[in-house]
Each structure stands twice: as C-alpha cells, then as structure tokens.
C-alpha cells in the first residue's frame, strides 16, 4: 500500500511580515479524512490554509501534495488539484452569467 499522504506539512512555519503565526507544524492529511482548523481571529488559520494551497510561501519547512513539494508545482498543476473559497470575495465584474454571455 502507498504510504504517501495526500497532503503533508513538514516542519512548516508561517509568517506574515515579521509576525510568526505557525511554528514547526508537522501534519499528515490522508484521503477521506476530515479536519477542522480552529483558532481566534487573526491567529493565522486562513494564512495557513493559503500556505498549504501554495498561495503563500512558508517561512520554514515544506508542504507536499502526494509526495511532491507544492513549491515546485506550476500554477497549472496546482489548479488541477485544489479549490479555494475565500472568506471575502470581490467581484470586479458583478454580472450574472446571462448578462456576461449577452455581452460576448
């Protein structure tokens, strides 16, 4: 059986500017598992998730997806394996699908 986890955090630290939010996180996320990330406002939950998705570079350590370092994956590679729903959304166009199609 394959022992490579779906997603793995290898001694990951996350920082924003000079503020460290996560220190030396070591975690394995296997296919089919469900996890919850809890913490106070501003604790770094969203930043950690963005780091795990490859949108934010870890201050230290490495994130791996199926054994491959996320930092080495191309944007196209990452787009095939991740989906993100942000807390805040800014719609620059704010058109319905039918209005957008009508303009084409």
């Amino acid at each position: 059986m394959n022992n490579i986890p779906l997603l793995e955090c290898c001694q990951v630290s996350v920082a924003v500017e000079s503020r460290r939010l996560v220190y030396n996180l070591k975690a394995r996320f296997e296919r089919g598992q469900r996890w919850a990330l809890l913490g106070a406002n501003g604790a770094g939950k969203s930043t950690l998730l963005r780091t795990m998705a490859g949108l934010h570079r870890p201050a230290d350590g490495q994130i791996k997806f199926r054994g491959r370092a996320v930092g080495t994956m191309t944007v196209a590679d990452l787009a095939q394996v991740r989906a993100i729903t942000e807390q805040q959304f800014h719609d620059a166009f704010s058109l319905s699908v039918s209005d957008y199609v009508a303009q084409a």
Side-chain angles (χ1 to χ4, degrees):
M1 183 172 166
N2 188 352
N3 283 338
I4 298 173
L6 182 64
L7 188 68
E8 185 174 19
C9 296
C10 307
Q11 301 304 122
V12 171
S13 294
V14 178
V16 174
E17 297 175 7
S18 62
R19 184 175 169 215
R20 289 251 173 172
L21 303 171
V22 177
Y23 296 87
N24 299 323
L25 174 66
K26 184 177 178 185
R28 290 173 60 110
F29 303 93
E30 306 290 345
R31 181 181 204 108
Q33 290 182 330
R34 302 290 185 261
W35 288 73
L37 184 58
L38 306 173
N41 290 346
K45 300 176 300 292
S46 296
T47 304
L48 174 59
L49 291 174
R50 291 178 58 78
T51 303
M52 292 168 66
L55 298 171
H56 181 83
R57 182 171 290 240
D60 292 306
Q62 189 176 62
I63 309 288
K64 294 181 182 179
F65 179 77
R66 294 183 180 153
R68 185 173 171 195
V70 170
T72 66
M73 297 173 74
T74 67
V75 172
D77 290 339
L78 289 169
Q80 292 178 5
V81 297
R82 72 173 179 208
I84 299 171
T85 303
E86 296 282 349
Q87 292 179 32
Q88 299 173 4
F89 177 73
H90 172 69
D91 185 0
F93 301 102
S94 60
L95 296 174
S96 68
V97 171
S98 58
D99 289 342
Y100 181 77
V101 171
Q103 288 187 352

